[in-house]
Amino acid sequence: MERLPFIAGNWKMNKTVGEAVDLVRELKASLAGVQGVEVAVAPPFTALYAVWKELEGSSIHLAAQNLYWEEKGAFTGEVSPIMLKEVGCHYVIIGHSERRQFFGETDETVNRRIKATLTQGLKVIFCIGETLNEREGGKTFSVIERQVEGGLKGFGDKKIENMVIAYEPVWAIGTGKTATPEQAEEVHRFIRGKLEKLYSREVSDKIRIQYGGSVTPENVKGLMSQRNIDGALVGGASLKGESFSKIVRFKEL
Ligand code: 13P
């Protein structure tokens, strides 16, 4: 089954509004005419509106990095799915390991966030991945299984089709230590098998699974050549127009 490759840039807590607009202006120019790949950028909340305006007429999609599951109300500091839709978001990244690690996100809260996102008609980039300790303790597959089951609890086939999964081994994030294409593929294959068990072959064949963790123009092609790797969620290398454009244009490398 052909899955459309999907390259997304997670800018994390980087870029002022001015810097964000400059970067997307550059990306619009350098990615004009690129075909056969879906592209998204995830600026911080403060830059979403300005980036959305700058992206008008472009095929680059806008993503947010998190949200809260309620529609509105007394939740100081939080942002709702409706608010993100209003500023042009198409995707929301949910359950990133930095949120799990630093902000108390659990499989249960990830599940609530995914539910709220899908209910509002937004798409989800659902992040999972094991830590170095877990990998070294031989727990990679059990951790991934728990995260997939926990995050997707209660979703039927129809909803899950609006989801992209990002496998991001925590030990590879921001460390320069990429998983080898074979290491990543092994986990991607496991995730797809799990989706088949939970849903069906048809559904699992459709869902795109991105790899994230120190993706660069140098290693993207090897990763993308794997059968079950359908894209990349890029951190550091998405902060510069040149490196992100090269990653998006991986077929030409
Ligand atoms: P790096 O590409 O900087 O390792 O970050 C990966 C990531 O966490 C993307 O969400």
Side-chain angles (χ1 to χ4, degrees):
M1 148 130 231
E2 269 297 297
R3 291 178 290 266
L4 182 67
F6 181 24
I7 309 289
N10 175 9
W11 297 0
K12 308 190 180 183
M13 198 172 74
N14 292 292
K15 307 289 177 192
T16 60
V17 175
E19 290 165 349
V21 169
D22 285 348
L23 177 54
V24 283
R25 206 169 278 157
E26 189 184 338
L27 290 176
K28 266 197 331 191
S30 61
L31 296 178
V34 176
Q35 287 191 339
V37 55
E38 182 178 1
V39 183
V41 291
F45 288 132
T46 45
L48 285 172
Y49 182 78
V51 168
W52 175 46
K53 289 287 151 196
E54 187 60 39
L55 285 177
E56 257 171 35
S58 139
S59 60
I60 301 173
H61 284 136
L62 187 63
Q65 300 175 17
N66 182 35
L67 49 56
Y68 190 60
W69 52 79
E70 296 288 348
E71 282 182 21
K72 59 180 174 179
F75 303 101
T76 302
E78 296 300 316
V79 173
S80 80
I82 293 173
M83 293 167 178
L84 294 178
K85 233 167 65 170
E86 194 194 12
V87 292
C89 288
H90 198 83
Y91 285 98
V92 185
I93 299 173
I94 311 262
H96 191 279
S97 64
E98 286 148 19
R99 299 230 45 96
R100 296 179 191 255
Q101 203 176 336
F102 306 130
F103 302 101
E105 191 88 77
T106 63
D107 293 330
E108 203 228 317
T109 59
V110 166
N111 181 258
R112 294 179 82 159
R113 285 186 165 84
I114 294 179
K115 208 171 278 174
T117 308
L118 296 176
T119 302
Q120 288 301 329
L122 288 155
K123 296 187 178 197
V124 169
I125 300 176
F126 167 35
C127 302
I128 54 179
E130 82 287 1
T131 63
L132 185 59
N133 255 347
E134 290 163 343
R135 174 160 283 258
E136 289 178 343
K139 296 196 195 119
T140 300
F141 295 112
S142 60
V143 168
I144 295 294
E145 182 161 42
R146 192 206 72 220
Q147 291 175 337
V148 170
E149 281 176 359
L152 300 184
K153 210 169 180 178
F155 299 136
D157 291 18
K158 274 277 146 297
K159 287 215 154 158
I160 183 121
E161 285 177 10
N162 284 320
M163 177 153 346
V164 173
I165 293 182
Y167 168 57
E168 301 203 303
V170 179
W171 48 272
I173 296 178
T175 57
K177 260 202 222 163
T178 332
T180 63
E182 295 72 25
Q183 268 176 327
E185 170 66 12
E186 189 186 22
V187 180
H188 282 231
R189 200 182 316 118
F190 176 80
I191 296 166
R192 203 173 303 285
K194 185 75 205 164
L195 293 172
E196 185 178 337
K197 274 189 222 142
L198 288 172
Y199 299 95
S200 65
R201 179 72 190 265
E202 202 193 339
V203 169
S204 79
D205 268 353
K206 274 190 205 156
I207 293 178
R208 291 175 297 175
I209 308 175
Q210 297 175 311
Y211 167 80
S214 299
V215 175
T216 62
E218 287 71 41
N219 60 29
V220 64
K221 205 161 180 178
L223 289 159
M224 291 302 292
S225 68
Q226 298 293 318
R227 200 184 164 86
N228 288 291
I229 301 184
D230 309 311
L233 184 55
V234 186
S238 72
L239 297 175
K240 290 223 165 75
E242 197 190 343
S243 46
F244 189 63
S245 300
K246 280 191 183 155
I247 292 173
V248 171
R249 291 179 179 275
F250 69 93
K251 289 181 190 161
E252 301 161 30
L253 289 171

